Amino acid sequence: MIDVREAKNLIKDNLICERIVSLPLSEACGFILAERVLAAFDTPSFDQSAMDGYAFSHENWDGKTELTIAGEVRAGTYTPDLLKPMQTVRIFTGAPIPAGADTVVMQENVTVFGKANRINIGQITKGSNIRLRGSQTRKSEVALKEGKLLSAPAISFLAGIGIDKVRVYAKPHISIIITGKELLKPGSTISFGKIFESNSLGITAALMQLNISPVSIDFIDDIEEELIRAIKNRMGADILIVTGGISEGNYDFTAEALNKCSVEKLFHRVKQKPGKPFYFGKYLQTAVFALPGNPAAALTCFYEYIVPAIGYFTRKEYFQKLKIPLADDYKKKVGLTYFLKGKISSGTVTVLSGQESYMMNSFAMADCLIQLDEEKEQYIKGELVDVLMII
């Protein structure tokens, strides 16, 4: 049995997760850039008006003579004619600045008499209200660096400089196998000795928090041959998650089934509570996680181990880690790391009641997992503890 730190390091060191894909910009939000993006041209690619108004040559204007309106320039049009001194053109936001003009005055500061404009000079200086060519991005400069999260504004920015696809770190393909003869689907008629299966929904919902959907979910009875068949069928996944049957009971076949499928066991059993029977191994490029069947233990292992593993694929850190004072004293057993369901309020974190590995009512109320160190027994009110946010 190994400790939590060793387990997390073994997972990190044994993941084969370098996969980069090219995605249309419309599908890339939330991904991490796998390479820098260079600007293909200046943006804006021409001097353009920043507002609706009138373009003219401030340099050639004496500050009092009325200007003659020589035409109109709308966005998306081009005017090759040179604007003469003492002339102006009606111009609209985004329209190209005509040659010979150096300033735009907003329409609210212009009085029009027939074809002549009178401009309020107190409201304008040379070069006002013009977006200069290349003022946002210059050709060949780095628009976004590798490792940048493609947020909605980042997507809009790249679209605005003409980018239609990007190379990003791919999400892992994840398959789930749920084992247990005693399991019923929610909504079924309950019978004595049966329980409702929740791990598939819980883990799928947790994946949805990461904007990931599993590629497959299999439900297997406690029959070793069926489990072996399901494992072999899902070995093409980047991550395979098996729940249940990982302890040492007469019908706990998961570890042996994984062995018969040539999965290299890297560890089985971790000095922690809950989730002591947690297992990790690999087969070629597939990372295999076997979780206890009890739902609170399964989800705890998912948040503490599988979420960081997914982050190694996507280059993202999904949940915030904090240090927060304990709301009350807490005593634990030495020799195990405890992961406790907690609730943050008024700047402190409370250990919730109902910490047993089968109890999900407290987990449903929790917003974090509190980690208490293996070799420490007593924690005092106000002491800082490590907290993993799960919402």
Side-chain angles (χ1 to χ4, degrees):
M1 188 157 55
I2 65 173
D3 63 33
V4 168
R5 183 186 298 273
E6 289 178 276
K8 291 187 174 182
N9 286 336
L10 277 169
I11 291 170
K12 183 177 181 179
D13 293 343
N14 284 278
L15 290 176
I16 302 173
C17 50
E18 184 69 22
R19 191 169 77 249
I20 295 171
V21 295
S22 181
L23 289 181
L25 206 56
S26 60
E27 300 175 12
C29 189
F31 286 81
I32 300 292
L33 271 177
E35 63 183 15
R36 64 182 185 173
V37 177
L38 301 181
F41 44 79
D42 293 339
T43 304
S45 57
F46 54 88
D47 294 346
Q48 60 180 239
S49 178
M51 61 182 55
D52 295 348
Y54 292 83
F56 70 106
S57 174
H58 188 283
E59 184 177 1
N60 293 316
W61 185 49
D62 60 14
K64 54 187 177 182
T65 304
E66 294 180 351
L67 304 177
T68 301
I69 300 174
E72 178 181 281
V73 184
R74 295 188 296 169
T77 63
Y78 172 64
T79 302
D81 298 333
L82 178 67
L83 193 66
K84 298 176 182 178
M86 309 312 295
Q87 286 185 333
T88 183
V89 293
R90 181 79 166 100
I91 198 166
F92 297 89
T93 304
I97 301 297
D102 59 18
T103 302
V104 173
V105 57
M106 68 175 65
Q107 60 190 16
E108 293 86 346
N109 293 332
V110 174
T111 303
V112 179
F113 297 94
K115 291 189 175 182
N117 289 347
R118 186 163 64 219
I119 298 172
N120 184 345
I121 189 60
Q123 301 295 320
I124 194 69
T125 56
K126 181 181 177 182
S128 293
N129 304 319
I130 292 180
R131 302 166 182 164
L132 296 176
R133 175 175 178 166
S135 56
Q136 174 185 269
T137 314
R138 286 287 185 183
K139 180 180 179 180
S140 299
E141 78 176 12
V142 177
L144 286 182
K145 295 180 179 179
E146 178 189 354
K148 175 71 177 70
L149 171 67
L150 290 171
S151 61
I155 293 292
S156 181
F157 166 58
L158 292 179
I161 63 172
I163 303 297
D164 66 339
K165 61 181 65 174
V166 286
R167 287 172 59 78
V168 299
Y169 292 106
K171 298 175 185 177
H173 296 138
I174 299 176
S175 289
I176 301 171
I177 298 174
I178 307 293
T179 72
K181 187 179 184 64
E182 74 280 16
L183 303 178
L184 293 175
K185 290 187 177 181
S188 303
T189 301
I190 193 70
S191 57
F192 187 78
K194 299 289 188 179
I195 62 172
F196 291 118
E197 190 278 314
S198 64
N199 281 333
S200 65
L201 291 170
I203 293 172
T204 298
L207 286 170
M208 289 175 64
Q209 284 184 281
L210 317 182
N211 197 26
I212 295 174
S213 297
V215 295
S216 65
I217 303 177
D218 296 315
F219 298 89
I220 303 299
D221 205 338
D222 288 323
I223 300 173
E224 187 176 5
E225 293 76 13
E226 291 185 10
L227 181 55
I228 290 172
R229 190 179 307 115
I231 291 169
K232 289 182 176 179
N233 287 340
R234 301 306 177 192
M235 279 307 186
D238 296 308
I239 293 176
L240 174 61
I241 302 171
V242 184
T243 72
I246 198 60
S247 296
E248 297 178 352
N250 291 343
Y251 298 98
D252 290 330
F253 299 127
T254 298
E256 183 59 27
L258 291 170
N259 180 57
K260 290 179 178 179
C261 292
S262 301
V263 175
E264 177 188 356
K265 180 181 73 175
L266 293 162
F267 64 78
H268 183 193
R269 296 174 65 82
V270 181
K271 291 188 282 185
Q272 66 182 34
K273 183 179 180 179
K276 188 186 295 184
F278 180 55
Y279 171 107
F280 172 67
K282 66 178 182 179
Y283 176 81
L284 300 178
Q285 293 191 340
T286 299
V288 180
F289 297 91
L291 315 182
N294 281 321
L299 267 184
T300 297
C301 290
F302 178 87
Y303 283 119
E304 289 290 342
Y305 296 98
I306 298 178
V307 169
I310 292 170
Y312 298 140
F313 281 85
T314 62
R315 301 301 196 271
K316 294 173 73 172
E317 187 171 336
Y318 288 99
F319 295 117
Q320 193 175 13
K321 297 177 181 178
L322 305 171
K323 286 188 177 291
I324 298 179
L326 266 177
D328 300 288
D329 295 349
Y330 192 86
K331 188 174 182 178
K332 60 175 280 294
K333 181 180 178 180
V334 172
L336 294 176
T337 296
Y338 277 35
F339 296 116
L340 302 172
K341 293 156 275 189
K343 184 75 174 177
I344 297 171
S345 178
S346 302
T348 64
V349 62
T350 299
V351 176
L352 298 174
S353 60
Q355 291 293 331
E356 289 82 353
S357 61
Y358 71 94
M359 286 189 171
M360 286 299 294
N361 54 337
S362 55
F363 221 146
M365 303 304 296
D367 55 18
C368 64
L369 288 171
I370 304 164
Q371 179 174 333
L372 301 184
D373 294 338
E374 177 184 327
E375 297 305 326
K376 192 165 181 176
E377 180 179 26
Q378 184 68 49
Y379 283 81
I380 307 301
K381 177 181 178 180
E383 187 172 352
L384 290 176
V385 292
D386 292 316
V387 169
L388 176 68
M389 302 303 299
I390 59 174
I391 61 171

